[in-house]
Amino acid sequence: MAMENKTQCFTCNKDKITFSCEGCLQRFCLIHLPEHYQRLNEELNHIIDDYNEFKETINEQKQNPHNHSLIKQINQWEGNSIARIQQKAQNCRDIVIESLQTLINDIEMKFNDLNKQIQQLHKETDFNEISLNYLRNQLIQITQELNNPSNISIQRESQPFINEISIISSKKPKFNEWKPNAITVVGGNGQGQQLNQLNRPGGIFIDKNKNMFITDYENHRIVEWKCNAKEGQIIAGGNGRGNRMDQLNHPTDVIVDQQNHSIIIADRGNRRVIQWLNQKQQILIDNTACWGLAMDKHGFIYVSDERKNEVRRWKMGEYNNEGIVVAGGNGQGDQLYNSASIFVDEDQSIYVSDESNHRVMKWRKDAKEGIIVAGGNGKGRNLNQLSSPQGVIVDDLGQIYVADWENHRVMRWCEGKKEGEIVVGGNGKGNQSNQLNGLYGLSFDVERNLYVADDMNHRIQKFEVLL
């Protein structure tokens, strides 16, 4: 405010010493200037009240999304539709009951007449095959009339009985992006068998606490690395290469059954799937060229067989059978050729990295044939190609992530698209933080950070998600 002599006050219109308000550019005397400030203060308080009210509205919608007006409209549509269907169904039931009553009365008359004929023949004992066949046919005819009345049927209208609704949203799904430079979270201390080293890591499983379970391929062991740990601990194998129950032979994949805290291992070299629970072992599936493992939300176990070029499914605890073929199984070539990693989504669709065909295949639940969802354009490094793909995972939006082994990159593909995009790597073969060398397993943690088994660099790389 700048002081001036004898100018007109905006409120009282008298010539007085006034002060200018830089907000409204009006001038006020000493008496009315505080009033003006008071009004401004009241308006600020109103804005604060509106802000707090809006904040409460946001919190309410976050905590109770089912109270949103759109949800209420859907509920109202549902209620009205159900009421209309129920009323229509009741009307139809009433008509059917009335028609059936008439039909039953008519059939009952025929039945009574037939009964009189039977009684007459029985009384006179004057009958032969012809009369018996006649009675039998009459009984069959009225039975059919009762069970399948020809004058009553249900007609389905071609036009919808209720008004259908759908949701239109202009907001596009947000695809994650990751920092191009990774953090080494496991290994990275050279090739070796010490607890802070790995020797060609393959499959990765990350639990809800971000603890990692890793197949240490050439060390014939499974190691667990706690979140932020400097070294791992051996939880299976680690007793040299062999086929004893306490040994492993080039394990390729691992999953954790978090209900009973057991680990299930694709013990490839021993051609078996073995379970470890509290240092006790049990062979679940034998005589299989197992490579990839997966478990769906219902507890079914899926195993890819690289020799038979198929994926089989077993129900948890029922391993005394051959399982069910759910993907491939038609020999190498057009179906699968060296099936490696597998992933099963919420709908029990199966994704298989078809290594020697340089593509990823998808089998929907109960499908007889698979479809190509990534690659399939020959071996190469173009965006529409893959080269010996390994690990495959799918996010909540149905985006497919592939460990593109020989191209040293992770690709993201959207089903139906003609090409994918590079999300990490793709900067040539190397051991820098933005490079990979023969990547294998892929996994997300609960925060959507991306983990890559950087196989030939003997380390696990964490690419942090960009928020």
Side-chain angles (χ1 to χ4, degrees):
M1 300 261 182
M3 181 175 177
E4 296 185 7
N5 293 326
K6 302 293 183 178
T7 53
Q8 192 177 63
C9 173
F10 179 76
T11 301
C12 64
N13 297 321
K14 294 180 180 180
D15 291 336
K16 295 182 178 181
I17 296 175
T18 58
F19 298 85
S20 175
C21 173
E22 294 180 2
C24 64
L25 301 179
Q26 303 297 336
R27 305 187 70 84
F28 300 91
C29 66
L30 286 171
I31 295 175
H32 296 107
L33 182 62
E35 294 177 359
H36 181 63
Y37 271 129
Q38 180 63 31
R39 283 195 297 272
L40 293 178
N41 192 55
E42 290 174 357
E43 289 182 18
L44 175 60
N45 289 333
H46 284 311
I47 293 173
I48 292 173
D49 291 341
D50 292 341
Y51 167 83
N52 291 331
E53 184 177 347
F54 183 72
K55 185 177 180 181
E56 290 180 5
T57 301
I58 291 177
N59 291 334
E60 169 66 21
Q61 291 201 11
K62 284 176 64 177
Q63 296 174 6
N64 301 292
H66 292 286
N67 291 336
H68 194 279
S69 61
L70 290 174
I71 299 296
K72 292 179 179 178
Q73 291 180 48
I74 295 172
N75 293 341
Q76 185 177 8
W77 169 84
E78 179 186 32
N80 293 340
S81 299
I82 291 173
R84 190 175 182 189
I85 291 171
Q86 288 177 334
Q87 184 61 52
K88 182 68 174 180
Q90 187 58 47
N91 293 341
C92 290
R93 277 192 288 267
D94 292 342
I95 295 171
V96 168
I97 290 172
E98 183 179 352
S99 300
L100 283 176
Q101 193 60 52
T102 301
L103 174 69
I104 291 171
N105 291 338
D106 181 54
I107 290 177
E108 195 171 27
M109 291 176 62
K110 293 180 181 180
F111 177 76
N112 290 335
D113 182 59
L114 182 62
N115 183 49
K116 289 179 181 179
Q117 295 180 53
I118 293 172
Q119 295 297 330
Q120 185 68 27
L121 286 176
H122 188 267
K123 180 178 180 181
E124 296 178 356
T125 64
D126 183 17
F127 53 87
N128 54 32
E129 287 83 1
I130 296 175
S131 55
L132 291 178
N133 285 334
Y134 169 77
L135 293 176
R136 186 179 295 108
N137 290 334
Q138 287 293 104
L139 184 59
I140 291 173
Q141 181 178 341
I142 62 175
T143 301
Q144 290 176 343
E145 286 184 34
L146 179 64
N147 294 332
N148 300 291
S150 59
N151 60 340
I152 308 174
S153 63
I154 294 177
Q155 177 179 322
R156 299 184 182 276
E157 302 293 341
S158 59
Q159 298 297 323
F161 176 63
I162 59 173
N163 295 323
E164 296 185 4
I165 64 171
S166 60
I167 304 300
I168 300 174
S169 175
S170 60
K171 185 174 179 61
K172 296 180 180 179
K174 180 183 177 182
F175 298 152
N176 290 127
E177 294 182 357
W178 292 267
K179 295 179 181 179
N181 294 306
I183 302 170
T184 301
V185 291
V186 174
N189 298 300
Q191 180 180 8
Q193 59 184 1
Q194 301 301 314
L195 291 179
N196 67 343
Q197 293 179 307
L198 297 171
N199 191 348
R200 299 200 59 195
I204 312 172
F205 185 96
I206 301 178
D207 67 16
K208 60 184 178 181
N209 297 316
K210 295 197 285 189
N211 300 317
M212 275 180 284
F213 301 80
I214 306 156
T215 59
D216 198 0
Y217 185 77
E218 292 289 355
N219 284 327
H220 314 290
R221 66 189 185 185
I222 306 298
V223 292
E224 178 185 4
W225 283 63
K226 301 290 187 182
C227 183
N228 299 321
K230 299 300 181 183
E231 62 180 33
Q233 55 180 327
I234 301 170
I235 58 172
N239 299 305
R241 177 182 177 182
N243 61 4
R244 295 199 316 260
M245 290 294 285
D246 66 339
Q247 291 179 307
L248 298 173
N249 183 356
H250 291 114
T252 52
D253 209 354
V254 59
I255 54 178
V256 179
D257 182 359
Q258 298 184 71
Q259 288 188 342
N260 62 14
H261 306 289
S262 70
I263 59 172
I264 301 172
I265 305 162
D267 190 9
R268 175 175 175 251
N270 286 322
R271 295 179 54 83
R272 65 190 183 188
V273 176
I274 188 167
Q275 181 184 53
W276 285 59
L277 175 61
N278 297 326
Q279 294 302 312
K280 294 181 180 179
Q281 303 84 33
Q282 177 186 0
I283 297 175
L284 303 182
I285 304 163
D286 206 355
N287 193 29
T288 172
C290 53
W291 188 283
L293 295 177
M295 178 187 290
D296 67 21
K297 63 182 180 181
H298 303 292
F300 287 95
I301 298 292
Y302 299 73
V303 182
S304 66
D305 189 312
E306 62 173 331
R307 298 285 176 84
K308 295 181 179 178
N309 299 296
E310 66 183 18
V311 178
R312 288 180 180 262
R313 183 183 70 198
W314 281 265
K315 187 175 181 180
M316 181 70 76
E318 298 181 6
Y319 303 108
N320 55 351
N321 54 50
E322 295 183 352
I324 300 172
V325 176
V326 290
N330 297 293
Q332 70 183 44
D334 291 338
Q335 286 290 320
L336 291 173
Y337 189 9
N338 287 347
S339 53
S341 290
I342 55 178
F343 182 89
V344 181
D345 67 14
E346 289 289 307
D347 300 322
Q348 292 181 293
S349 292
I350 304 157
Y351 298 78
V352 186
S353 59
D354 191 7
E355 180 182 354
S356 295
N357 283 324
H358 312 292
R359 65 190 183 184
V360 174
M361 300 287 289
K362 175 182 178 181
W363 269 261
R364 292 186 173 87
K365 183 182 179 183
D366 300 326
K368 301 301 181 185
E369 293 185 354
I371 59 173
I372 301 171
V373 291
N377 297 297
K379 180 179 180 180
R381 61 179 60 193
N382 295 323
L383 291 180
N384 68 340
Q385 293 178 307
L386 296 169
S387 185
S388 300
Q390 299 296 324
V392 57
I393 53 176
V394 182
D395 67 14
D396 296 337
L397 297 174
Q399 306 298 301
I400 304 154
Y401 297 79
V402 188
D404 195 4
W405 169 272
E406 291 187 16
N407 289 323
H408 317 292
R409 65 190 184 184
V410 177
M411 298 288 290
R412 174 167 58 197
W413 288 67
C414 178
E415 184 177 334
K417 296 293 184 181
K418 295 188 179 297
E419 61 180 35
E421 61 178 326
I422 301 171
V423 291
V424 297
N427 299 303
K429 174 181 175 181
N431 60 6
Q432 300 302 309
S433 62
N434 67 341
Q435 292 180 308
L436 299 165
N437 184 0
L439 65 162
Y440 185 77
L442 301 177
S443 189
F444 291 122
D445 65 19
V446 293
E447 296 172 353
R448 310 307 294 169
N449 298 307
L450 176 61
Y451 295 77
V452 180
D454 192 7
D455 187 39
M456 303 305 291
N457 283 326
H458 315 291
R459 65 187 184 183
I460 305 296
Q461 296 292 85
K462 175 184 177 182
F463 291 87
E464 294 182 320
V465 66
L466 291 171
L467 301 177

